[in-house]
Amino acid sequence: MYRVVALQGAEVQLSCLDEQGLDARALIAAVVGAEDYALLDDDGQVQDAVRVADTSGLSLLSEAERAAVRDWERHLREIDEGVPPDAAEGTVPRPGYDPARFTVRQRITAKAAELKALGFKSSSVSTIERRRRVYQARGVFGLVREVATGSPWGRTDERVVRLLLAEVEAGRDESDGHGTRLYERLQAAVEREHPDEYDRLMISRATFYRLLERLGIAVDSLRWPTQRRMDAANGATAPYTPTWALRLGEQVQIDSTGLDIIAVGDDGRPVQVELTAAIDVASRSIIGAMIVPKVPGRGPGAAGWAGAGPGRSTQC
């Protein structure tokens, strides 16, 4: 058992509660995707999973469309739960909506009569039944298609839009706004969440850029000011593409650097040494390292630094 100590980007720091265990640092996706993952209470008992409503689709609508979707969500929740979602604790269901006394069909009929009296254009029993099924299956994203006049994301499946919005938000701390990289992140997300439907759900690159335009997402706006300041300080100019990875072992960087120390070589003589390390990009952890005698010509200003002479470069 572990306690979450800190969250940083896509990683989580875990403190082990077992005496024989060790603390850990891992990708959040790897932790919550593990077969034995569960959320425990203070007594160590497994808590029931709570599904958090995804309302990110509402941000793509106009104020009037957003209000209409919220109104319908409120009415549909009253049909299923007996009271609106914003009702105070202890509120008694209105006449005709008590789940203990009326069937779903009776509650839908009561809601149809109420909406008709309020002047709703779409207030038939069949319309309410359809929107209720859609809301139960797909949440707010499905309701947007039903209520808003014309889907803001065209014919793209809302599940792909949901993943895209999540990747845009998750990548703000890591991405410099390159569209190609965002598209690759979306591909990985669709493959991870819907592997059996990937070929049907995944959109083309051209559709991807049209979708960004329709959603009002400017790729350049994803670049954080901090990253721009770092680029300026380091003198980085285009093309400059930071390396990123989503899975452990997906990308490994290997590099060498000289150490300002003198060591004793195998022959007993003092030698200069250098460190070569392999770093996993996703977890930012060192997965392998070794210290070896420094090769002549290695380092800035050496003859072999630019590829000439006896110098060498670290291969990845």
Side-chain angles (χ1 to χ4, degrees), residues 190-206:
V190 175
E191 174 68 26
R192 180 179 65 251
E193 299 296 332
H194 308 287
D196 296 335
E197 301 180 82
Y198 176 84
D199 292 335
R200 183 178 67 83
L201 293 178
M202 189 58 205
I203 57 179
S204 66
R205 193 177 297 271

Side-chain angles (χ1 to χ4, degrees), residues 139-161:
V140 170
F141 267 88
L143 202 55
V144 166
R145 283 185 178 273
E146 286 285 328
V147 178
T149 56
S151 170
W153 48 82
R155 290 179 290 181
T156 302
D157 193 288
E158 63 264 19
R159 291 173 290 179
V160 176
V161 179

Side-chain angles (χ1 to χ4, degrees), residues 48-66:
D48 294 334
V50 177
R51 183 175 182 178
V52 179
D54 185 351
T55 59
S56 55
L58 294 176
S59 63
L60 310 175
L61 306 178
S62 65
E63 185 175 347
E65 290 174 330
R66 193 158 51 243

